[in-house]
Amino acid sequence: MEVVLADALLSRAVDPGAVLRAVCAPLSADGAEALRLLLQRLSAGGARGEAAGEAVRRAAWELALERCRPLLRLGEGAAGGAERLRLCRAVRGALRHCVQLCGAPLAARLARDALDELAGGGTGAEAAVEALAAAAPLLEEPALVGRCAEVALALVREEGEGEAAAALVAGRLLPALGGNGPALGRVWDGLLGRGPAPRVGRALLALSALCDALLPRGPGAAMDARLCPRFWRLVQEGLTERDGLCRKRARYLLKRAVDLSGGQAACMRCPPDGPDESSLFWWSAEENDKLLQFWETYILIMETLEGNQIHVIKPVLPKLNSLYELAISGKEGCWLFHPSWHMCIYKRMFESENKSLTKEGVLHFLELYETKHLPNSLGFSEVRGLVLLLCISYLKPNRTPSQLMGACPSLGMRLQKFLATYLTLLPEEEKGGFLLKFIQKMTNRHWCAVPILFLSMALAYIPACKVLGTDGLHALRDVLQCTMITHQILLRGAAQCYLLQTAMHLTDVEKVSLPEVASFLLSLRPEESLRRDTVLWMEVRTKATFMFIKRFLIPTEIGKSNIKWIELEAFLNPLLDVLMKLGTNAYIPTLKTDKSLQLLLKLLQTRSLKCSKTQDALIPEIVNLCLQLSSKKLPTVKNFISSLTNASIHNFHETDSTEVIQYYLEKVTSIASLTVVCELVDQKPEAHLQDLPFVDALKRFTAFSQFNEVLKKPSYIEEKSGYVCGGEDFFCSLCEETSSQGWGRIVARYVRDQWICLRFVLNKFPMLAQKYEEGTSELSSLTAERSREILESALEALTILPSDQVLPVFDCMKVLVPKLLNSLESLCIEAFDLAWKIISSLSNTQLIFWSNLKAFVRFIFDNEVLATAASTKGQAYAKIKEIILKLIDMSTTKTGVFNVVLSHCCQSWILPTCDNRGAVRNAFLNAGDYCELITEGCVFGTVFRRDQSTNRDDHYVRICAIKFLCLLDGSNILHKSFMEDIVIKLLEKDELVSRTRTRYYANSLQHRIKNRVWQTLLVLLPKLDQNFLCGILDKVFQAGFGNNQASVKYFIEWIIILSLHKYPQFLTKFWDCFCYDEEKLKTSICTFLSVLSHFDTILQNTSEKKPVVKKALLIVLQWCFNHNFSVRLYALVALKKIWAMCRMLDVEEFEALTPVIESSLQQVENMHGTGNARRNWQRIQDHFFFATFHPLEDYSLETIFYTLPRLSEVAEDEWISLCKFERFTDIPLPAAFQWYRSRAELLDLKPSDWSQQDMGSSSVDTDGQTEWTDVQKKIIPWKHSTPSSDLDMVLQDRAAKLGKSNSRLIVVASLIDKPTNLGGLCRTSEIFGASALVVGSLHYIQDKQFQHLSVSAEQWLPLVEVKPSQLVDYLQQKKTEGYTAIGVEQTAKSYDLTEYCFPEKSLLLLGNEHEGIPANLIHHLDVCVEIPQQGIIRSLNVHVSGALLIWEYTRQQVIKHKQQK
């Protein structure tokens, strides 16, 4: 209408210019809009004549300079709100039309004025830019064109407060310049030329504004950004920018270029950066479809990454593999698409704020790198280095069920392989720099124990190459400091060992000095990582010796003839300096003095033979050499050891020394020498050293020695004259307090060495002085009394020795306690208590706890100790039982404790080391006396909450107990009695759990205990005889009546089937189970009907089958008419099996029933309808227990402990794989053991292959999907659907009474969990007449927030409850009823809402507020519809989205009904 009026006014006006001037006086917002419209019509229609045209141009000139420009300057900063904004917009349009009427002269005038204003730096920048935008398309002067382009680029480049100006330039000026050919060339050179470009964000802003000009759709364009490498580099940088708007602009440019290329289907290629590089972008008409597939997939991935959530990315990750397949040509090593495009994806994932997304990207890249050969390219060099830096952040001890405790996770293994492979591909000159930079990068943050451990492991596994110098050694030392922050001492020690190996493998000794190496070694903790006599210690010593000899002891030539040697004194000076300062420097560190005293003692022990008496000379190297000598040298070795032993004993008893310190040191070195001899004799049994005379002397020495002798500090002796050795007064420092710690360690070692000698004698000769009873009367009564004295000394030693020195004391007590337990029970109990006190105090000390625990277990659970205590059943027996309970309690918080106890007991009971038949019998008697150990081992394992989840692995306790039971022989009376006792205790435990908890949750502790009980009973079942089994079968049946979880039910049914198969005479008892009242059977009858479904297996050993089959058929027929649907299903399955047996056996008595039974079974097979009957009938027949499982052929350890728990949906940490049984070698199974593996048919089943009747339909394992056919662009949650149960589709009664629903639209909101959104949807659905609203729970109706939003709509709208786990079945049901399932979701194949036509019977599925529609539901939908968006925010509120689609459906249906009428 406005256009018509404007044309009429201009056609009747004599002077159009006068009309224009009249409209401008005064110029309001309405007047400005009228002026713009008139100018638009004049510029579009042209003038009627020359004079009229000139008048119009003069008027337009005046208006532009005198009215429009001043108003634009005023409008930029003036107030006035919406009215002022209308005025400014109208004036801008009027100015643009004035330029079109006046042409180039007015454009030049406006451009000069605007450029002068911008150069002057005034406040009118916005008005000047608007003027330039109006003038730019018609500028012709090259100078003005160049100045305009320079100003535009300058404003785009401007930082800080120029953001608004840059946006204004991009929105107004640059599109105008794009319409001017010369100006566009200048801007092209500024943005994509060789000069400096603006920063990425500004450059992409400008390129987006010029998109129409730089990506022309017509042929023969002068400039095409697709052929410019710099354009594509800017796009790639924008794709990985942190700014979301910048990434969106880059995706927009990429999509425009791809759409343009695909539409033109032309051949083009962007020049490559180098001769060996592929093109950044190319197109070919022959490859048009392939190229479109690649780029559409690429853009989909980049858009999906914007979701920044792991469940969004995971379904799309397989598409990265297809990108790789498309990007590599058939020729090896050739990229069809430049690898930098792939790098953009990984870099975007690596730099994501979501750490889970970053980890997923790292895992996928490592998997791609491991499984496919990636051609080398500069495009991947940056991302590879970034991967190495990111991997270490996500190394967690996540293990699969088949992995050992502490095993390196898959990410750690991939990191090791990737790091080693990557370094081998690097040039030699770059390896050192990369490793140095990588290690230094590690020191920039603090690490927890697990990542630093596996990273150190990866560094240690790098092939040896000498690439690190001083800086590298310092960097490794800094990483070592990172390991000290954790309290996990074992992980800390392991990391230190790996870092030490890294230093030895990668350090070039030519580039580092000895003090630098020493500084690195000092940063290690010897007690954790660098202990003497370990393999690592030997390697370090060899390396250090080689370096020392090469760098310092090899003579250095001075001139031509003079040779200078560096003496050992230079290396001992630091030690002497510390010792001399002990008495004068009160602030010297205690640790430093401690180390100095230990080094001094070691030097005194290891000094050469020439510098000392024979009895003082014990060189550890000689002892180590003795262990490696051949048999021909043994006589020499024996002579040496005999001389050493005799000299040490003699020196120990020598008391005429005048120097107290020398006297003490001689005693210490003498007992240390004897200790080494004892250990050497134990380590070399084949040398028969125990038969030499020196052993007799050692026995006499030990028998009369006084134990726990404490060497007083020299400062306590009255002699004050000083102690001189070799003329150096360096022992006087021992009288200072600072040396107390070092002297205490010396004394502790001295006491421990005495007990090592005693342990040697007791193990070789348990009855002390037994051979000397005839010769010496003093020794005749020595055995008992001396044993008592030694045990008392042992208790004293436990109180004075440090915890890491008590191992030999425990070993001695193990020999002594059995001899004294009957006569001195209280003393032995005191020994038990004191030993347990030490162990419990060490529970948080990883370094020495396990060795002490093993010694404690060997002591307490020694066969003789256990047998002696059990024989009297006194206080000692009760104390051992108490210790067992304490150990079990400790094992619940400290994994591995029960492993040590049970492994030792099982080995000593079933595999005793002695060959004495009586000893073997007595050893196994202990198993019966302490059978609670085996019982608790069979059910061991606790349950943690998710927030308390740990990486404990308690399977080996159960494996040890199970393998112990597998070794038992049913024909052995002792074994038979023990097994029966275990079975009774396990049944009592199951009954106790059932009694305390009549109902329990799946995977709860009660469920797991019952599951483990019946697994163990199933293992023992074949070994039980008929009489015992007859006595316990009633308890098994009674357990079947309980309310059990599915896995427990299967095990009970399996046991019943095997029992009836082996002993058919028990069928009479089994029939009695069907005679209870219906109230007791209503929840348990399915268990016994399941047994009947395997009736063919039960009757294999029965000669007269017909009577039994008839009995079974009569019982099953009764339950086929039960009112409970599930019971009828189980009965029909059993009926189908039993009736097939009747047909096979030709049972004539049931010929009359044949038509009825067969028609019933046929009706069940062919049933159809809207309910769940057909689906449930198919489900129960496909159930693994009825379709695949065979009770006899599938009897194996793998089925019991792995396959059946997995198929029963028991928690994954309950699955015990067969490889764990094989790896546990402490108790080997007999070679004839055959029950190992499941059948392949059962083992290959997956939980997704069947639906469990007891717990609902199983979830689909979506992780196995290779690639989705349709995925979310925005959000796809990656989660399993929960099991569903039978649907209750009965609408509420009020729905029938209301009669208001006149549409056929069902709104499904089961995934929505916020009451406010549900309340709003309820109101919207009711207003627009939806037939029903489906919610996840009807409890939402009672929520006050729901009621506040719904305003009683729930009273007038049918509501249906369908839980999220039931949605798959609900969708399928509605689709069979003719409904079209429509998802409100953005996917790769979704329809635009404005283009989609809704069917009359539509089901609208709405997604969750945060996660949208799950991926497993998308593929059950017929179509997805999305709402077109223009803004930056990615999604609407779910209620708003639902309301829009509900209205669109209603609108279309209303129009359709009107057309039909």
Side-chain angles (χ1 to χ4, degrees):
M1 181 61 69
E2 291 86 354
V3 174
V4 174
L5 292 176
D7 289 341
L9 178 63
L10 291 174
S11 63
R12 296 184 180 184
V14 178
D15 183 5
V19 175
L20 296 176
R21 293 185 185 93
V23 173
C24 294
L27 189 61
S28 62
D30 293 333
E33 289 178 348
L35 177 63
R36 178 190 58 78
L37 181 59
L38 292 173
L39 288 170
Q40 177 185 356
R41 300 311 300 165
L42 285 171
S43 61
R48 300 175 192 151
E50 184 66 28
E54 184 63 28
V56 170
R57 283 192 291 273
R58 281 198 308 272
W61 186 286
E62 293 174 5
L63 291 173
L65 297 179
E66 297 176 7
R67 305 293 294 175
C68 294
R69 284 286 286 135
L71 284 173
L72 283 177
R73 295 190 189 98
L74 180 63
E76 182 183 17
E83 193 71 16
R84 175 62 62 181
L85 184 61
R86 283 180 58 205
L87 176 62
C88 291
R89 288 177 177 174
V91 169
R92 285 199 298 265
L95 183 62
R96 185 169 61 253
H97 295 305
C98 287
V99 174
Q100 292 174 359
L101 287 170
C102 297
L106 180 58
R109 172 68 182 274
L110 288 174
R112 289 190 185 94
D113 293 345
L115 290 172
D116 292 340
E117 291 179 8
L118 289 174
T123 58
E126 182 178 352
V129 171
E130 293 290 355
L132 286 176
L138 297 177
L139 286 177
E140 296 177 355
E141 297 181 24
L144 281 177
V145 170
R147 288 183 63 190
C148 284
E150 291 175 2
V151 167
L153 292 173
L155 289 174
V156 168
R157 288 190 176 94
E158 189 174 342
E159 303 290 339
E161 297 180 357
E163 193 71 34
L168 180 63
V169 169
R172 298 280 193 273
L173 182 54
L174 287 180
L177 291 174
N180 189 315
L184 180 60
R186 297 291 187 92
V187 175
W188 171 281
D189 293 336
L191 291 175
L192 302 175
R194 296 184 179 277
R199 62 183 176 90
V200 178
R202 294 292 180 85
L204 291 175
L205 175 65
L207 291 174
S208 300
L210 293 169
C211 189
D212 291 334
L214 298 180
L215 296 173
R217 295 189 177 276
M223 286 170 285
D224 192 341
R226 294 174 294 172
L227 301 176
C228 178
R230 192 166 186 177
F231 170 78
W232 293 114
R233 289 298 182 194
L234 283 172
V235 170
Q236 288 182 346
E237 291 180 30
L239 290 174
T240 57
E241 276 287 311
R242 291 191 177 274
D243 180 45
L245 187 57
C246 185
R247 295 195 300 269
K248 187 172 184 178
R249 288 172 180 147
R251 293 195 305 273
Y252 168 73
L253 290 171
L254 178 60
K255 187 172 178 57
R256 280 289 300 267
V258 171
D259 290 344
L260 178 62
S261 303
Q264 293 177 345
C267 295
M268 56 166 294
R269 182 176 293 272
C270 177
D273 291 341
D276 298 331
E277 290 290 330
S278 57
S279 176
L280 282 171
F281 188 84
W282 60 275
W283 208 270
S284 170
E286 294 79 9
E287 302 286 342
N288 192 68
D289 293 339
K290 179 180 179 181
L291 291 166
L292 281 175
Q293 179 186 357
F294 175 86
W295 287 112
E296 286 175 358
T297 303
Y298 186 89
I299 294 170
L300 171 64
I301 293 173
M302 295 303 295
E303 289 182 345
T304 307
L305 286 174
E306 293 300 311
N308 204 27
Q309 295 176 340
I310 188 57
H311 53 261
V312 178
I313 306 303
K314 203 167 183 180
V316 186
L317 281 180
K319 292 185 178 290
L320 282 172
N321 299 329
S322 63
L323 279 185
Y324 169 81
E325 300 293 344
L326 292 170
I328 303 296
S329 70
K331 300 177 182 179
E332 184 178 357
C334 179
W335 289 93
L336 291 179
F337 298 91
H338 200 277
S340 56
W341 291 109
H342 289 76
M343 186 191 73
C344 291
I345 296 177
Y346 287 114
K347 194 173 180 182
R348 175 74 185 93
M349 296 174 73
F350 296 161
E351 295 178 354
S352 171
E353 301 85 359
N354 190 319
K355 298 304 180 184
S356 298
L357 175 56
T358 305
K359 178 182 178 182
E360 201 65 37
V362 171
L363 283 171
H364 189 272
F365 180 82
L366 289 178
E367 181 180 1
L368 187 68
Y369 191 86
E370 181 179 359
T371 57
K372 303 181 184 295
H373 177 70
L374 294 181
N376 289 325
S377 171
L378 294 175
F380 268 103
S381 60
E382 180 182 354
V383 76
R384 284 170 178 166
L386 189 59
V387 165
L388 290 174
L389 296 176
L390 288 170
C391 282
I392 50 185
S393 301
Y394 305 104
L395 285 169
K396 296 181 179 179
N398 297 328
R399 295 177 293 107
T400 62
S402 60
Q403 280 186 304
L404 286 170
M405 185 71 172
C408 186
S410 60
L411 179 57
M413 299 298 294
R414 291 175 181 174
L415 173 62
Q416 293 177 21
K417 184 176 181 180
F418 179 74
L419 184 58
T421 306
Y422 181 56
L423 280 175
T424 55
L425 296 176
L426 283 178
E428 289 295 329
E429 61 273 10
E430 297 181 11
K431 290 182 179 179
F434 171 78
L435 272 177
L436 177 60
K437 181 180 177 181
F438 180 59
I439 297 172
Q440 287 174 341
K441 191 78 173 179
M442 292 164 48
T443 61
N444 294 339
R445 58 178 292 186
H446 294 292
W447 301 98
C448 62
V450 174
I452 200 69
L453 169 64
F454 293 124
L455 173 64
S456 305
M457 186 187 302
L459 288 173
Y461 288 157
I462 295 175
C465 54
K466 307 304 180 183
V467 294
L468 294 181
T470 301
D471 292 340
L473 203 60
H474 289 168
L476 283 173
R477 184 184 60 189
D478 294 339
V479 177
L480 269 174
Q481 301 304 319
C482 296
T483 69
M484 303 304 180
I485 64 175
T486 175
H487 296 291
Q488 296 165 303
I489 189 170
L490 295 181
L491 296 177
R492 185 169 66 206
Q496 292 177 62
C497 292
Y498 284 124
L499 288 172
L500 180 56
Q501 288 180 336
T502 302
M504 289 190 293
H505 294 168
L506 303 180
T507 304
D508 187 355
V509 295
E510 300 290 341
K511 299 179 182 179
V512 296
S513 64
L514 190 62
E516 289 168 344
V517 174
S519 176
F520 174 78
L521 293 176
L522 284 175
S523 60
L524 299 166
R525 297 188 178 183
E527 67 275 9
E528 296 176 2
S529 57
L530 199 56
R531 297 179 70 90
R532 286 181 177 273
D533 302 327
T534 60
V535 176
L536 188 59
W537 165 264
M538 299 296 182
E539 186 177 356
V540 171
R541 188 175 64 176
T542 302
K543 295 272 186 181
T545 304
F546 171 76
M547 181 180 177
F548 176 78
I549 294 174
K550 187 173 182 180
R551 297 289 299 277
F552 298 100
L553 297 186
I554 293 180
T556 304
E557 188 172 341
I558 300 177
K560 292 185 178 180
S561 59
N562 295 329
I563 295 177
K564 182 179 180 181
W565 294 80
I566 299 178
E567 298 181 358
L568 185 62
E569 182 180 357
F571 299 97
L572 293 181
N573 280 334
L575 171 63
L576 297 175
D577 183 59
V578 172
L579 294 174
M580 293 299 293
K581 291 180 180 179
L582 280 177
T584 57
N585 190 346
Y587 299 101
I588 190 168
T590 305
L591 180 61
K592 196 171 185 178
T593 60
D594 185 16
K595 297 293 184 183
S596 300
L597 289 171
Q598 292 183 47
L599 179 57
L600 173 62
L601 177 60
K602 199 65 182 179
L603 288 173
L604 291 173
Q605 286 182 289
T606 58
R607 54 186 173 157
S608 64
L609 291 169
K610 295 181 181 180
C611 302
S612 163
K613 296 183 294 183
T614 302
Q615 59 266 28
D616 294 331
L618 176 61
I619 304 176
E621 283 75 8
I622 295 179
V623 178
N624 293 330
L625 183 63
C626 292
L627 299 176
Q628 303 173 8
L629 290 177
S630 62
S631 58
K632 296 181 179 179
K633 300 293 183 180
L634 277 179
T636 305
V637 175
K638 292 179 179 180
N639 292 334
F640 168 75
I641 295 176
S642 297
S643 302
L644 179 62
T645 304
N646 294 329
S648 298
I649 293 174
H650 175 73
N651 192 43
F652 186 84
H653 291 296
E654 202 174 55
T655 57
D656 57 353
S657 176
T658 57
E659 298 176 354
V660 177
I661 185 63
Q662 182 177 350
Y663 165 70
Y664 283 165
L665 290 177
E666 286 179 352
K667 292 177 74 71
V668 169
T669 52
S670 297
I671 198 67
S673 302
L674 293 174
T675 300
V676 173
V677 170
C678 294
E679 292 175 343
L680 179 62
V681 174
D682 285 335
Q683 293 171 3
K684 295 285 289 185
E686 67 276 7
H688 303 290
L689 299 177
Q690 65 273 15
D691 299 331
L692 296 177
F694 78 87
V695 177
D696 198 32
L698 183 60
K699 180 182 176 183
R700 278 179 167 274
F701 165 76
T702 306
F704 292 101
S705 294
Q706 180 181 356
F707 298 101
N708 302 334
E709 179 185 359
V710 178
L711 304 179
K712 295 182 180 180
K713 276 199 330 180
S715 57
Y716 294 156
I717 309 300
E718 293 183 357
E719 290 85 348
K720 303 289 185 179
S721 58
Y723 312 107
V724 182
C725 180
E728 296 291 340
D729 189 16
F730 61 90
F731 284 129
C732 60
S733 59
L734 290 174
C735 64
E736 294 297 324
E737 184 63 28
T738 53
S739 65
S740 59
Q741 185 178 4
W743 187 257
R745 288 180 177 271
I746 293 173
V747 173
R749 179 68 179 265
Y750 172 72
V751 175
R752 190 205 68 162
D753 289 344
Q754 298 177 52
W755 286 98
I756 291 177
C757 295
L758 178 61
R759 178 182 63 187
F760 168 76
V761 174
L762 288 176
N763 287 335
K764 299 299 179 183
F765 311 101
M767 301 299 292
L768 283 177
Q770 183 175 346
K771 294 184 179 180
Y772 304 99
E773 292 181 0
E774 297 178 0
T776 308
S777 58
E778 282 185 44
L779 298 174
S780 59
S781 61
L782 186 68
T783 301
E785 184 63 25
R786 184 59 172 161
S787 298
R788 181 188 62 78
E789 293 175 358
I790 295 176
L791 183 57
E792 291 175 346
S793 299
L795 297 181
E796 181 184 8
L798 293 179
T799 59
I800 64 175
L801 279 176
S803 300
D804 58 342
Q805 307 283 352
V806 298
L807 293 183
V809 183
F810 281 159
D811 293 335
C812 292
M813 293 167 65
K814 178 174 76 77
V815 179
L816 296 170
V817 166
K819 302 176 177 57
L820 303 175
L821 191 56
N822 289 328
S823 58
L824 297 171
E825 187 178 34
S826 60
L827 184 63
C828 296
I829 292 175
E830 184 180 353
F832 294 161
D833 287 332
L834 192 54
W836 170 250
K837 184 178 180 181
I838 292 175
I839 294 302
S840 58
S841 66
L842 294 175
S843 59
N844 293 324
T845 308
Q846 294 282 351
L847 195 61
I848 59 176
F849 171 75
W850 295 107
S851 56
N852 282 337
L853 175 66
K854 291 176 182 177
F856 171 79
V857 169
R858 289 195 301 268
F859 161 43
I860 298 293
F861 296 96
D862 179 70
N863 276 331
E864 292 189 41
V865 174
L866 294 178
T868 306
S871 62
T872 60
K873 297 291 191 298
Q875 296 181 4
Y877 181 71
K879 176 59 66 175
I880 293 176
K881 296 267 187 169
E882 179 185 339
I883 291 174
I884 290 174
L885 296 178
K886 290 180 178 179
L887 284 169
I888 295 174
D889 183 62
M890 179 186 287
S891 64
T892 60
T893 57
K894 190 173 185 65
T895 183
V897 173
F898 205 7
N899 305 45
V900 174
V901 178
L902 196 62
S903 178
H904 170 81
C905 291
C906 290
Q907 290 182 75
S908 60
W909 293 345
I910 199 72
L911 302 170
T913 55
C914 61
D915 297 330
N916 189 326
R917 187 177 184 86
V920 172
R921 176 183 174 85
N922 292 334
F924 192 80
L925 285 174
N926 289 329
D929 293 325
Y930 303 93
C931 63
E932 58 268 24
L933 271 173
I934 303 297
T935 305
E936 292 298 327
C938 292
V939 299
F940 180 76
T942 185
V943 180
F944 294 93
R945 298 197 313 265
R946 289 186 178 181
D947 59 337
Q948 295 178 326
S949 60
T950 63
N951 288 284
R952 293 169 54 100
D953 191 347
D954 296 325
H955 287 169
Y956 287 105
V957 174
R958 295 169 58 200
I959 290 173
C960 179
I962 295 300
K963 293 184 78 171
F964 174 82
L965 296 177
C966 289
L967 288 175
L968 301 182
D969 183 7
S971 60
N972 186 305
I973 297 178
L974 286 178
H975 291 189
K976 176 175 174 294
S977 175
F978 174 76
M979 287 188 293
E980 292 175 355
D981 194 17
I982 290 291
V983 169
I984 292 174
K985 289 185 179 298
L986 288 173
L987 288 173
E988 290 174 352
K989 183 174 284 293
D990 175 78
E991 185 180 354
L992 177 64
V993 173
S994 300
R995 195 165 54 245
T996 54
R997 284 288 182 93
T998 56
R999 298 182 64 88
Y1000 52 91
Y1001 295 104
N1003 296 315
S1004 62
L1005 181 59
Q1006 291 78 19
H1007 176 201
R1008 296 180 189 228
I1009 290 178
K1010 290 176 72 69
N1011 201 66
R1012 297 163 188 168
V1013 164
W1014 291 100
Q1015 283 176 322
T1016 309
L1017 291 173
L1018 194 55
V1019 171
L1020 289 173
L1021 184 65
K1023 303 176 184 291
L1024 304 178
D1025 64 8
Q1026 179 179 350
N1027 294 331
F1028 178 76
L1029 190 58
C1030 180
I1032 66 167
L1033 199 58
D1034 289 335
K1035 292 188 176 181
V1036 176
F1037 292 151
Q1038 195 64 33
F1041 286 117
N1043 188 9
N1044 296 306
Q1045 291 288 337
S1047 61
V1048 178
K1049 185 172 76 72
Y1050 299 149
F1051 285 124
I1052 295 175
E1053 293 166 4
W1054 196 357
I1055 288 177
I1056 294 175
I1057 293 169
L1058 293 179
S1059 301
L1060 298 179
H1061 165 78
K1062 189 174 182 179
Y1063 304 110
Q1065 54 269 35
F1066 293 158
L1067 278 170
T1068 304
K1069 288 189 173 185
F1070 178 68
W1071 301 134
D1072 294 339
C1073 296
F1074 295 92
C1075 299
Y1076 290 95
D1077 57 8
E1078 186 174 347
E1079 184 65 26
K1080 184 172 183 178
L1081 291 174
K1082 66 179 182 180
T1083 60
S1084 58
I1085 190 60
C1086 295
T1087 295
F1088 301 99
L1089 290 173
S1090 297
V1091 173
L1092 288 178
S1093 65
H1094 292 277
F1095 207 57
D1096 54 343
T1097 303
I1098 294 174
L1099 295 187
Q1100 284 183 6
N1101 296 336
T1102 305
S1103 56
E1104 292 295 330
K1105 292 184 173 62
K1106 286 187 178 182
V1108 183
V1109 172
K1110 289 192 290 185
K1111 177 70 173 178
L1113 185 63
L1114 291 174
I1115 290 177
V1116 169
L1117 284 174
Q1118 297 174 10
W1119 292 99
C1120 287
F1121 300 97
N1122 192 273
H1123 67 278
N1124 186 282
F1125 179 68
S1126 295
V1127 174
R1128 292 201 306 273
L1129 279 180
Y1130 277 90
L1132 287 170
V1133 172
L1135 176 63
K1136 185 177 180 180
K1137 174 61 66 72
I1138 296 173
W1139 182 246
M1141 296 176 64
C1142 289
R1143 296 285 301 275
M1144 186 183 302
L1145 297 173
D1146 293 328
V1147 181
E1148 300 175 354
E1149 290 84 344
F1150 295 107
E1151 289 183 359
L1153 294 176
T1154 299
V1156 178
I1157 295 176
E1158 291 190 351
S1159 62
S1160 300
L1161 291 175
Q1162 185 176 4
Q1163 182 180 2
V1164 173
E1165 294 287 352
N1166 300 325
M1167 70 173 66
H1168 58 85
T1170 60
N1172 302 317
R1174 179 180 178 83
R1175 184 183 67 254
N1176 286 335
W1177 172 247
Q1178 190 61 43
R1179 174 185 297 172
I1180 196 172
Q1181 289 188 103
D1182 294 339
H1183 195 294
F1184 84 96
F1185 196 79
F1186 306 111
T1188 310
F1189 174 74
H1190 194 283
L1192 299 180
E1193 297 177 5
D1194 286 317
Y1195 184 84
S1196 66
L1197 290 178
E1198 189 171 26
T1199 305
I1200 297 172
F1201 293 97
Y1202 180 78
T1203 309
L1204 195 143
R1206 179 174 62 85
L1207 296 178
S1208 304
E1209 294 188 346
V1210 178
E1212 187 176 353
D1213 54 4
E1214 280 292 300
W1215 310 349
I1216 305 180
S1217 59
L1218 192 60
C1219 62
K1220 289 191 175 183
F1221 280 93
E1222 295 169 346
R1223 279 201 294 260
F1224 184 78
T1225 57
D1226 293 352
I1227 301 179
L1229 288 178
F1233 190 82
Q1234 301 295 329
W1235 300 329
Y1236 266 118
R1237 301 188 178 278
S1238 301
R1239 287 185 306 127
E1241 294 86 345
L1242 189 67
L1243 189 61
D1244 293 340
L1245 281 180
K1246 296 180 180 179
S1248 58
D1249 293 336
W1250 50 272
S1251 298
Q1252 186 177 334
Q1253 176 68 19
D1254 306 276
M1255 300 179 64
S1257 60
S1258 67
S1259 58
V1260 179
D1261 187 4
T1262 52
D1263 289 339
Q1265 295 287 342
T1266 57
E1267 186 171 341
W1268 296 103
T1269 57
D1270 194 11
V1271 294
Q1272 272 190 355
K1273 288 180 183 177
K1274 178 171 61 71
I1275 296 175
I1276 302 177
W1278 192 259
K1279 64 178 184 180
H1280 299 289
S1281 60
T1282 55
S1284 65
S1285 58
D1286 293 338
L1287 298 177
D1288 182 11
M1289 293 304 302
V1290 180
L1291 297 176
Q1292 298 137 323
D1293 293 337
R1294 64 175 181 273
K1297 299 177 183 178
L1298 296 175
K1300 287 179 60 63
S1301 299
N1302 49 20
S1303 76
R1304 308 193 73 174
L1305 172 69
I1306 298 177
V1307 181
V1308 181
S1310 296
L1311 297 173
I1312 301 175
D1313 52 23
K1314 289 188 177 180
T1316 52
N1317 290 331
L1318 288 172
L1321 274 172
C1322 182
R1323 182 176 182 177
T1324 303
S1325 301
E1326 196 280 328
I1327 288 175
F1328 290 110
S1331 61
L1333 173 65
V1334 179
V1335 295
S1337 173
L1338 291 175
H1339 293 296
Y1340 286 119
I1341 302 173
Q1342 308 301 325
D1343 190 277
K1344 291 185 178 180
Q1345 292 180 327
F1346 178 97
Q1347 295 175 355
H1348 180 72
L1349 269 294
S1350 68
V1351 290
S1352 76
E1354 69 274 13
Q1355 300 178 17
W1356 311 101
L1357 174 71
L1359 299 180
V1360 183
E1361 181 180 284
V1362 177
K1363 298 186 181 301
S1365 59
Q1366 302 170 334
L1367 279 177
V1368 174
D1369 294 333
Y1370 180 73
L1371 292 175
Q1372 296 300 326
Q1373 176 184 336
K1374 286 303 175 184
K1375 288 166 76 172
T1376 59
E1377 296 175 12
Y1379 279 85
T1380 300
I1382 304 169
V1384 186
E1385 187 57 273
Q1386 296 173 348
T1387 71
K1389 297 180 181 180
S1390 56
Y1391 286 84
D1392 193 309
L1393 176 61
T1394 60
E1395 301 172 356
Y1396 183 73
C1397 182
F1398 285 86
E1400 183 179 3
K1401 298 182 71 173
S1402 294
L1403 182 147
L1404 200 62
L1405 177 64
L1406 302 174
N1408 182 263
E1409 289 90 344
H1410 300 290
E1411 299 177 343
I1413 300 177
N1416 65 315
L1417 288 179
I1418 288 180
H1419 303 283
H1420 291 280
L1421 301 174
D1422 296 314
V1423 66
C1424 283
V1425 176
E1426 69 177 53
I1427 301 169
Q1429 299 173 210
Q1430 306 298 325
I1432 297 176
I1433 304 301
R1434 295 185 55 80
S1435 62
L1436 290 166
N1437 175 269
V1438 65
H1439 171 213
V1440 176
S1441 300
L1444 288 173
L1445 270 81
I1446 293 171
W1447 159 243
E1448 180 61 24
Y1449 169 86
T1450 305
R1451 187 187 68 82
Q1452 293 183 14
Q1453 298 304 315
V1454 169
I1455 294 174
K1456 186 183 298 185
H1457 290 317
K1458 287 182 178 179
Q1459 291 174 347
Q1460 292 175 353
K1461 289 181 180 180

